Amino acid sequence: MDTKILTKQIKAKNKAADSYMTVSVLSGIATTFLVVWLVNLFITEQASIQKIILAGAGLCLLQAMKAIFYALGTGRAHDAAYRSLAEIRLDIVSHLKKLPLSFFQKRKTGDLANIINHDVEQIEIYLAHAQPEIKITLLLPLLVTLAMLVLDWRLGLALVAPFPVMVLYQKVVYKLWDKTLKRYNQSTKEMSEDLIEYISTMPAIKAFATDEQKTDAVLTRMRSYISWVKKIMYTVSVPLSMVQMLLEIGLVLVVIVGTGLMISGQLSLIRFILALILANVFSSSLIRYMSFHHADIVLGRSVESIATITGENPRPDYPRDPSLGPGNIELRDVTFSYDGREEALKEVSLTFRENTINAIVGSSGSGKSTIASLIMGFWPVEQGRVTIGGKNIAAMNEGDLSGLVAIVQQDTFLFNATIAENIRIGRAGASRSEIMEAAQKARLHEMISELPEGYDTMVGEGGAKLSGGEKQRIAIARMMLKNAPIIILDEATAAIDPYNEHLIQEAITNLSQNKTLIMIAHHLNTIVNADQIIVMDAGRMIARGKHRELLDTCPLYQEMVQAQKKVDHWEIKQSQEVWT
Ligand SMILES: Nc1ncnc2c1ncn2[C@@H]1O[C@H](COP(=O)(O)OP(=O)(O)OP(=O)(O)O)[C@@H](O)[C@H]1O
């Protein structure tokens, strides 16, 4: 959704609120006329008890109407604003879900969070407060000008004489506001990006307490934000007081022209009083209009930010295909780059046959995880193709693809919810006994049973209360529930204690029965029995075969096995040193 459509949707007429506000304004104007009529009665000595009671009752009624209809109008406006706010947030969130991962690579979390919180909030301010007020504050001067022209055309002209100057001045001021707001928004965005990054990297910041410069950088950003807040205050308040001055020139002109007319006998005192009251209403409501119009500019900026999300093209929504089955996975001449510059994969062609155990090995950065990401459809493949069961995944429905492939990543993401809820992510609606069965197969059940609250234990933010190995097994339990025919396992690089590693191996064996398994292996001893091992080097596949074949034919594989043996020997030596 682009800026224009979004603005139109936001500003869509709220007829009920508009009509209530109009009645409220008309009641206010009628009150003014009634007061003038009452004053006239006293001046012309025509006031009687009945007339005074009548005017009093009329005033009470009009004031009550003004207040009641104003409350109804703003109530409706608030109602529409909160509905609109919720709808826009839901639209953004559902749109985000459809966007490819490349989008999240380009944008920072703090920036997106700022748009969803701060920018969307501006829409509420506009719809609930500014929009109804802008309408009143515009309607009022219009009616007042008409009334003034009817009262005396010369006074009407005197009132609106400074108006053209004010319009010109306003144009200049709006440009200034717009420019300052742009910088202010940028500063808000940078500050929230930095703050979120700062909080999420707190362990690293603490670890480098003496040398770290991040805190200073965050403080500098905050100071810059505060200075922009101050600038915004000045750029709004100073021009507003100038506008006030310009408008009061109209009031002064009415006083001068009115006095002249009164002296020459062309204007009665009562009409002069009415003109002064009307001129006052005119200038005060135009000043309010100007200050609320500022919200219009803020809205424009917020809509622009929101459109940077909603205007992004989502992955095409292909229809679901019930005939889709697993089959072989093939990569044909795949060349892929994350940033359009460096190639992470170069002309890779390979096949993972259905129901086989496969491993991908290679040095760090050789492209192993990239192969997994492309099979998962996380990134679009622009050169070459990836097929499952002969069907190009680029033309598959997202749900279909996700039903076929499951991934256990190095960093398992856990929600701050209970263990049971975190496992249920594998299949919404899974029963308690299915969750427990999955946990048993993932070798988690014993550990969970020892917790005081068992499956209802909260895991903490990002699974903070669980160990790395436990988190991985939760991910495996999720995959058990999901029961996808293809499993990709991105083995953890960090060392896991032998007991946990043994449990994870058992869990993986349970998970991968009668499935196609692709392991991105860092520990070569886990893959000696694989049906196929792919050796990657600098984005290219340089060999493939079984462990024995590769030991005979692939020098890089031999080197890797030798290096692994050294590490294993070192680890055994280390543990012996500990025990002796
Ligand atoms: N999201 C990303 N954006 C930009 N470049 C990336 C991204 N992910 C990986 N790369 C780059 O692509 C190349 C291949 O990375 P990949 O993660 O596939 O390697 P890997 O073999 O899995 O490494 P490791 O064993 O360290 O996990 C590397 O040069 C890496 O820097």
Side-chain angles (χ1 to χ4, degrees):
M1 209 187 296
D2 69 6
T3 335
K4 269 190 195 153
I5 304 175
L6 202 58
T7 314
K8 215 169 153 193
Q9 185 189 317
I10 292 167
K11 290 190 175 180
K13 283 194 170 44
N14 183 350
K15 284 206 174 88
D18 286 355
S19 350
Y20 289 140
M21 283 309 211
T22 311
V23 177
S24 169
V25 171
L26 293 177
S27 311
I29 293 196
T31 311
T32 312
F33 280 98
L34 200 57
V35 169
V36 175
W37 177 69
L38 195 60
V39 174
N40 186 38
L41 288 182
F42 284 111
I43 293 175
T44 54
E45 294 178 358
Q46 291 172 29
S48 66
I49 293 289
Q50 288 96 322
K51 283 180 183 164
I52 293 170
I53 291 173
L54 190 67
L59 278 178
C60 288
L61 180 70
L62 287 171
Q63 282 302 313
M65 277 175 67
K66 187 180 161 191
I68 290 169
F69 281 95
Y70 183 83
L72 286 172
T74 48
R76 281 297 178 109
H78 272 83
D79 196 35
Y82 283 112
R83 251 184 296 126
S84 187
L85 217 68
E87 275 165 21
I88 290 169
R89 284 203 172 114
L90 286 176
D91 280 354
I92 296 179
V93 171
S94 65
H95 194 78
L96 278 175
K97 207 179 146 215
K98 291 184 205 146
L99 294 178
L101 272 190
S102 49
F103 172 81
F104 299 93
Q105 174 87 9
K106 283 184 275 171
R107 304 286 292 267
K108 288 189 176 176
T109 319
D111 167 27
L112 298 178
N114 188 43
I115 292 177
I116 298 173
N117 288 324
H118 176 261
D119 286 314
V120 176
E121 209 61 45
Q122 298 306 316
I123 294 173
E124 189 272 330
I125 295 177
Y126 177 81
L127 287 180
H129 306 275
Q131 195 182 40
E133 295 282 350
I134 284 176
K135 280 181 184 153
I136 300 187
T137 49
L138 257 190
L139 185 64
L140 217 53
L142 261 173
L143 291 175
V144 167
T145 310
L146 279 179
M148 197 75 129
L149 284 169
V150 171
L151 192 72
D152 191 304
W153 65 271
R154 289 158 295 194
L155 290 179
L157 287 186
L159 184 66
V160 296
F163 202 68
V165 184
M166 198 200 88
V167 172
L168 279 178
Y169 177 71
Q170 191 190 21
K171 284 219 154 107
V172 178
V173 168
Y174 282 176
K175 273 208 180 116
L176 181 72
W177 282 354
D178 199 37
K179 225 169 122 189
T180 321
L181 256 173
K182 217 181 215 162
R183 276 299 298 128
Y184 163 76
N185 279 0
Q186 181 66 20
S187 180
T188 317
K189 185 181 125 183
E190 284 166 1
M191 188 192 62
S192 45
E193 278 172 3
D194 274 21
L195 269 178
I196 289 186
E197 191 184 86
Y198 185 72
I199 294 165
S200 60
T201 53
M202 195 51 87
I205 289 169
K206 280 191 177 294
F208 297 97
T210 47
D211 301 333
E212 72 93 10
Q213 289 149 8
K214 202 77 196 147
T215 309
D216 289 341
V218 170
L219 290 177
T220 310
R221 281 259 200 261
M222 283 193 159
R223 279 187 208 110
S224 147
Y225 169 76
I226 292 166
S227 101
W228 279 105
V229 171
K230 281 185 189 157
K231 267 190 200 137
I232 248 265
M233 301 297 273
Y234 288 124
T235 30
V236 172
S237 60
V238 175
L240 259 183
S241 45
M242 283 295 288
V243 171
Q244 191 161 358
M245 211 181 75
L246 278 173
L247 283 167
E248 268 156 18
I249 293 178
L251 189 63
V252 174
L253 285 179
V254 169
V255 173
I256 296 171
V257 175
T259 314
L261 290 173
M262 227 175 65
I263 292 169
S264 61
Q266 297 176 59
L267 186 72
S268 66
L269 175 65
I270 191 66
R271 283 180 164 245
F272 188 37
I273 293 172
L274 181 57
L276 290 179
I277 295 174
L278 289 177
N280 212 8
V281 173
F282 177 87
S283 53
S284 59
S285 50
L286 267 187
I287 289 164
R288 272 167 72 96
Y289 170 75
M290 279 289 284
S291 60
F292 279 115
H293 204 76
H294 165 247
D296 205 8
I297 299 172
V298 175
L299 176 79
R301 286 269 144 256
S302 299
V303 166
E304 261 177 40
S305 299
I306 295 169
T308 62
I309 300 178
T310 54
E312 282 283 327
N313 289 332
R315 193 180 190 272
D317 198 9
Y318 296 105
R320 293 203 78 136
D321 181 356
S323 68
L324 265 185
N328 295 347
I329 304 161
E330 293 201 41
L331 272 77
R332 280 288 150 262
D333 305 317
V334 174
T335 296
F336 176 79
S337 165
Y338 286 98
D339 52 12
R341 281 178 276 131
E342 298 239 335
E343 287 172 350
L345 290 184
K346 294 165 195 154
E347 293 163 15
V348 174
S349 292
L350 51 86
T351 304
F352 300 111
R353 288 160 51 78
E354 191 180 351
N355 292 346
T356 56
I357 296 179
N358 303 270
I360 311 176
V361 298
S363 55
S364 181
S366 58
K368 305 182 293 290
S369 303
T370 307
I371 294 180
S373 298
L374 296 190
I375 297 173
M376 291 296 298
F378 287 164
W379 298 82
V381 176
E382 273 148 20
Q383 258 180 282
R385 66 201 172 101
V386 179
T387 59
I388 298 179
K391 175 142 189 178
N392 194 335
I393 63 161
M396 260 188 214
N397 173 283
E398 222 174 6
D400 281 345
L401 179 59
S402 144
L404 285 178
V405 197
I407 189 165
V408 180
Q409 282 166 311
Q410 290 189 13
D411 302 317
T412 304
F413 187 82
L414 297 188
F415 292 94
N416 189 6
T418 63
I419 292 180
E421 281 160 6
N422 267 295
I423 297 178
R424 192 178 278 120
I425 287 178
R427 177 156 43 89
S431 68
R432 187 81 167 186
S433 61
E434 284 171 322
I435 290 174
M436 285 166 82
E437 195 188 338
Q440 249 148 8
K441 286 189 190 157
R443 296 289 179 264
L444 261 177
H445 182 72
E446 263 180 51
M447 181 281 281
I448 299 173
S449 307
E450 280 165 18
L451 297 170
E453 288 176 78
Y455 281 81
D456 296 320
T457 308
M458 295 294 287
V459 302
E461 198 163 324
K465 295 184 193 163
L466 299 176
S467 76
E470 288 161 352
K471 281 195 227 173
Q472 271 221 331
R473 278 180 283 144
I474 288 201
I476 293 172
R478 277 179 188 166
M479 296 311 141
M480 300 271 183
L481 281 184
K482 186 171 174 185
N483 198 22
I486 300 163
I487 306 281
I488 301 176
L489 196 79
D490 203 344
E491 200 181 69
T493 34
I496 285 181
D497 66 87
Y499 177 65
N500 252 308
E501 191 168 353
H502 165 72
L503 290 179
I504 291 173
Q505 277 310 319
E506 278 187 2
I508 291 167
T509 312
N510 284 339
L511 174 68
S512 54
Q513 269 159 19
N514 301 322
K515 293 186 194 295
T516 310
L517 178 69
I518 303 171
M519 285 187 281
I520 296 167
H522 294 102
H523 305 278
L524 298 190
N525 34 15
T526 59
I527 59 161
V528 284
N529 295 323
D531 297 306
Q532 173 181 241
I533 300 168
I534 306 282
V535 185
M536 295 295 297
D537 185 29
R540 288 189 191 277
M541 183 186 78
I542 58 158
R544 66 173 161 177
K546 292 197 179 210
H547 174 68
R548 281 262 134 241
E549 292 161 10
L550 291 173
L551 271 184
D552 294 339
T553 57
C554 178
L556 180 64
Y557 189 72
Q558 288 162 7
E559 268 176 44
M560 287 165 66
V561 171
Q562 286 310 320
Q564 179 79 57
K565 276 187 181 157
K566 270 191 199 155
V567 172
D568 289 347
H569 185 62
W570 184 80
E571 272 177 3
I572 292 166
K573 248 176 88 184
Q574 284 279 308
S575 54
Q576 279 169 351
E577 275 165 17
V578 170
W579 297 112
T580 51

